[in-house]
Amino acid sequence: DTHTLYPNGSIDQRLNPQGHGNNPTPHGHGHALGTGSGVKGQGPSLDVQGNTVPSNSAAAHWPID
């Protein structure tokens, strides 16, 4: 997995090239600014337009070409 971070260390974007447990298709994720470093400090999930969405929704799983 590849992560880009906000200056405070919270996750901005994630690339899951192998997918993950509940979605094995390669995809990305975006997050609003969180309150601390790493996954536990990441902000709410975002769709590709930057709207807040539930983390388990299809909109939170960004397609990659």
Side-chain angles (χ1 to χ4, degrees):
D1 293 355
T2 302
H3 300 110
T4 59
L5 305 175
Y6 287 104
N8 74 345
S10 68
I11 295 173
D12 178 7
Q13 295 182 4
R14 274 189 298 148
L15 172 63
N16 297 114
Q18 305 297 318
H20 53 72
N22 64 351
N23 186 342
T25 302
H27 62 276
H29 293 271
H31 298 277
L33 180 64
T35 58
S37 62
V39 175
K40 292 187 188 289
Q42 72 191 15
S45 294
L46 303 174
D47 67 14
V48 295
Q49 267 79 43
N51 301 304
T52 301
V53 296
S55 61
N56 61 350
S57 70
H61 295 82
W62 299 3
I64 53 176
D65 295 329

PDB file of all heavy atoms in Angstrom, residues 25-44:
ATOM      1  N   THR A  25     -10.495  -5.837  -5.159  1.00  0.00           N
ATOM      2  CA  THR A  25     -10.184  -5.119  -6.399  1.00  0.00           C
ATOM      3  C   THR A  25      -9.227  -3.972  -6.088  1.00  0.00           C
ATOM      4  O   THR A  25      -9.454  -3.221  -5.127  1.00  0.00           O
ATOM      5  CB  THR A  25     -11.481  -4.552  -7.021  1.00  0.00           C
ATOM      6  OG1 THR A  25     -12.382  -5.627  -7.253  1.00  0.00           O
ATOM      7  CG2 THR A  25     -11.196  -3.814  -8.310  1.00  0.00           C
ATOM      8  N   PRO A  26      -8.161  -3.785  -6.877  1.00  0.00           N
ATOM      9  CA  PRO A  26      -7.260  -2.641  -6.648  1.00  0.00           C
ATOM     10  C   PRO A  26      -8.046  -1.322  -6.677  1.00  0.00           C
ATOM     11  O   PRO A  26      -8.903  -1.112  -7.534  1.00  0.00           O
ATOM     12  CB  PRO A  26      -6.286  -2.726  -7.817  1.00  0.00           C
ATOM     13  CG  PRO A  26      -6.295  -4.165  -8.207  1.00  0.00           C
ATOM     14  CD  PRO A  26      -7.711  -4.622  -7.995  1.00  0.00           C
ATOM     15  N   HIS A  27      -7.769  -0.439  -5.722  1.00  0.00           N
ATOM     16  CA  HIS A  27      -8.488   0.831  -5.618  1.00  0.00           C
ATOM     17  C   HIS A  27      -7.738   1.794  -4.712  1.00  0.00           C
ATOM     18  O   HIS A  27      -6.746   1.442  -4.086  1.00  0.00           O
ATOM     19  CB  HIS A  27      -9.907   0.599  -5.083  1.00  0.00           C
ATOM     20  CG  HIS A  27      -9.945   0.019  -3.713  1.00  0.00           C
ATOM     21  ND1 HIS A  27      -9.847  -1.342  -3.476  1.00  0.00           N
ATOM     22  CD2 HIS A  27     -10.052   0.608  -2.505  1.00  0.00           C
ATOM     23  CE1 HIS A  27      -9.894  -1.561  -2.178  1.00  0.00           C
ATOM     24  NE2 HIS A  27     -10.023  -0.393  -1.560  1.00  0.00           N
ATOM     25  N   GLY A  28      -8.232   3.016  -4.651  1.00  0.00           N
ATOM     26  CA  GLY A  28      -7.673   4.028  -3.769  1.00  0.00           C
ATOM     27  C   GLY A  28      -8.716   4.518  -2.789  1.00  0.00           C
ATOM     28  O   GLY A  28      -9.897   4.154  -2.865  1.00  0.00           O
ATOM     29  N   HIS A  29      -8.251   5.340  -1.853  1.00  0.00           N
ATOM     30  CA  HIS A  29      -9.114   5.965  -0.850  1.00  0.00           C
ATOM     31  C   HIS A  29      -8.629   7.391  -0.644  1.00  0.00           C
ATOM     32  O   HIS A  29      -7.442   7.675  -0.782  1.00  0.00           O
ATOM     33  CB  HIS A  29      -8.987   5.273   0.523  1.00  0.00           C
ATOM     34  CG  HIS A  29      -9.492   3.889   0.580  1.00  0.00           C
ATOM     35  ND1 HIS A  29     -10.792   3.589   0.876  1.00  0.00           N
ATOM     36  CD2 HIS A  29      -8.874   2.703   0.390  1.00  0.00           C
ATOM     37  CE1 HIS A  29     -10.955   2.268   0.873  1.00  0.00           C
ATOM     38  NE2 HIS A  29      -9.797   1.715   0.575  1.00  0.00           N
ATOM     39  N   GLY A  30      -9.528   8.277  -0.264  1.00  0.00           N
ATOM     40  CA  GLY A  30      -9.169   9.631   0.124  1.00  0.00           C
ATOM     41  C   GLY A  30      -9.791   9.945   1.465  1.00  0.00           C
ATOM     42  O   GLY A  30     -10.858   9.421   1.809  1.00  0.00           O
ATOM     43  N   HIS A  31      -9.099  10.791   2.234  1.00  0.00           N
ATOM     44  CA  HIS A  31      -9.578  11.140   3.573  1.00  0.00           C
ATOM     45  C   HIS A  31      -9.429  12.627   3.815  1.00  0.00           C
ATOM     46  O   HIS A  31      -8.471  13.250   3.359  1.00  0.00           O
ATOM     47  CB  HIS A  31      -8.785  10.377   4.645  1.00  0.00           C
ATOM     48  CG  HIS A  31      -8.938   8.901   4.533  1.00  0.00           C
ATOM     49  ND1 HIS A  31     -10.006   8.234   5.068  1.00  0.00           N
ATOM     50  CD2 HIS A  31      -8.193   7.970   3.902  1.00  0.00           C
ATOM     51  CE1 HIS A  31      -9.895   6.938   4.791  1.00  0.00           C
ATOM     52  NE2 HIS A  31      -8.805   6.757   4.074  1.00  0.00           N
ATOM     53  N   ALA A  32     -10.367  13.175   4.559  1.00  0.00           N
ATOM     54  CA  ALA A  32     -10.252  14.553   5.014  1.00  0.00           C
ATOM     55  C   ALA A  32      -9.144  14.608   6.067  1.00  0.00           C
ATOM     56  O   ALA A  32      -8.716  13.574   6.600  1.00  0.00           O
ATOM     57  CB  ALA A  32     -11.575  15.021   5.613  1.00  0.00           C
ATOM     58  N   LEU A  33      -8.694  15.801   6.365  1.00  0.00           N
ATOM     59  CA  LEU A  33      -7.663  15.984   7.382  1.00  0.00           C
ATOM     60  C   LEU A  33      -8.117  15.371   8.698  1.00  0.00           C
ATOM     61  O   LEU A  33      -9.247  15.595   9.146  1.00  0.00           O
ATOM     62  CB  LEU A  33      -7.389  17.474   7.571  1.00  0.00           C
ATOM     63  CG  LEU A  33      -6.346  17.853   8.603  1.00  0.00           C
ATOM     64  CD1 LEU A  33      -4.970  17.332   8.197  1.00  0.00           C
ATOM     65  CD2 LEU A  33      -6.310  19.359   8.774  1.00  0.00           C
ATOM     66  N   GLY A  34      -7.245  14.562   9.285  1.00  0.00           N
ATOM     67  CA  GLY A  34      -7.549  13.918  10.555  1.00  0.00           C
ATOM     68  C   GLY A  34      -6.887  14.633  11.710  1.00  0.00           C
ATOM     69  O   GLY A  34      -6.264  15.685  11.551  1.00  0.00           O
ATOM     70  N   THR A  35      -6.982  14.038  12.879  1.00  0.00           N
ATOM     71  CA  THR A  35      -6.477  14.673  14.092  1.00  0.00           C
ATOM     72  C   THR A  35      -5.137  14.145  14.551  1.00  0.00           C
ATOM     73  O   THR A  35      -4.620  14.600  15.555  1.00  0.00           O
ATOM     74  CB  THR A  35      -7.488  14.500  15.243  1.00  0.00           C
ATOM     75  OG1 THR A  35      -7.712  13.101  15.441  1.00  0.00           O
ATOM     76  CG2 THR A  35      -8.799  15.187  14.923  1.00  0.00           C
ATOM     77  N   GLY A  36      -4.573  13.175  13.853  1.00  0.00           N
ATOM     78  CA  GLY A  36      -3.278  12.638  14.262  1.00  0.00           C
ATOM     79  C   GLY A  36      -2.713  11.744  13.185  1.00  0.00           C
ATOM     80  O   GLY A  36      -3.278  11.615  12.106  1.00  0.00           O
ATOM     81  N   SER A  37      -1.606  11.125  13.472  1.00  0.00           N
ATOM     82  CA  SER A  37      -0.906  10.349  12.455  1.00  0.00           C
ATOM     83  C   SER A  37      -1.522   8.968  12.244  1.00  0.00           C
ATOM     84  O   SER A  37      -2.163   8.412  13.125  1.00  0.00           O
ATOM     85  CB  SER A  37       0.561  10.200  12.833  1.00  0.00           C
ATOM     86  OG  SER A  37       0.682   9.492  14.040  1.00  0.00           O
ATOM     87  N   GLY A  38      -1.308   8.434  11.033  1.00  0.00           N
ATOM     88  CA  GLY A  38      -1.676   7.064  10.724  1.00  0.00           C
ATOM     89  C   GLY A  38      -3.158   6.833  10.516  1.00  0.00           C
ATOM     90  O   GLY A  38      -3.964   7.755  10.469  1.00  0.00           O
ATOM     91  N   VAL A  39      -3.510   5.559  10.376  1.00  0.00           N
ATOM     92  CA  VAL A  39      -4.882   5.156  10.085  1.00  0.00           C
ATOM     93  C   VAL A  39      -5.829   5.564  11.206  1.00  0.00           C
ATOM     94  O   VAL A  39      -6.934   6.031  10.959  1.00  0.00           O
ATOM     95  CB  VAL A  39      -4.954   3.632   9.829  1.00  0.00           C
ATOM     96  CG1 VAL A  39      -6.390   3.173   9.648  1.00  0.00           C
ATOM     97  CG2 VAL A  39      -4.139   3.258   8.602  1.00  0.00           C
ATOM     98  N   LYS A  40      -5.411   5.403  12.453  1.00  0.00           N
ATOM     99  CA  LYS A  40      -6.300   5.736  13.573  1.00  0.00           C
ATOM    100  C   LYS A  40      -6.591   7.226  13.638  1.00  0.00           C
ATOM    101  O   LYS A  40      -7.613   7.635  14.156  1.00  0.00           O
ATOM    102  CB  LYS A  40      -5.707   5.249  14.888  1.00  0.00           C
ATOM    103  CG  LYS A  40      -5.670   3.732  14.981  1.00  0.00           C
ATOM    104  CD  LYS A  40      -5.233   3.296  16.368  1.00  0.00           C
ATOM    105  CE  LYS A  40      -4.987   1.824  16.449  1.00  0.00           C
ATOM    106  NZ  LYS A  40      -6.105   0.972  16.390  1.00  0.00           N
ATOM    107  N   GLY A  41      -5.714   8.055  13.078  1.00  0.00           N
ATOM    108  CA  GLY A  41      -5.918   9.499  13.095  1.00  0.00           C
ATOM    109  C   GLY A  41      -6.472  10.067  11.810  1.00  0.00           C
ATOM    110  O   GLY A  41      -6.615  11.272  11.674  1.00  0.00           O
ATOM    111  N   GLN A  42      -6.774   9.188  10.832  1.00  0.00           N
ATOM    112  CA  GLN A  42      -7.257   9.706   9.548  1.00  0.00           C
ATOM    113  C   GLN A  42      -8.652  10.288   9.686  1.00  0.00           C
ATOM    114  O   GLN A  42      -9.434   9.873  10.534  1.00  0.00           O
ATOM    115  CB  GLN A  42      -7.220   8.631   8.472  1.00  0.00           C
ATOM    116  CG  GLN A  42      -8.254   7.544   8.605  1.00  0.00           C
ATOM    117  CD  GLN A  42      -8.000   6.379   7.655  1.00  0.00           C
ATOM    118  OE1 GLN A  42      -6.930   6.229   7.094  1.00  0.00           O
ATOM    119  NE2 GLN A  42      -8.996   5.546   7.476  1.00  0.00           N
ATOM    120  N   GLY A  43      -8.939  11.254   8.830  1.00  0.00           N
ATOM    121  CA  GLY A  43     -10.247  11.893   8.843  1.00  0.00           C
ATOM    122  C   GLY A  43     -11.287  11.069   8.115  1.00  0.00           C
ATOM    123  O   GLY A  43     -11.029   9.950   7.655  1.00  0.00           O
ATOM    124  N   PRO A  44     -12.489  11.632   7.965  1.00  0.00           N
ATOM    125  CA  PRO A  44     -13.575  10.943   7.281  1.00  0.00           C
ATOM    126  C   PRO A  44     -13.203  10.567   5.846  1.00  0.00           C
ATOM    127  O   PRO A  44     -12.399  11.241   5.201  1.00  0.00           O
ATOM    128  CB  PRO A  44     -14.717  11.956   7.289  1.00  0.00           C
ATOM    129  CG  PRO A  44     -14.380  12.925   8.360  1.00  0.00           C
ATOM    130  CD  PRO A  44     -12.887  12.957   8.444  1.00  0.00           C
TER     131      PRO A  44
END
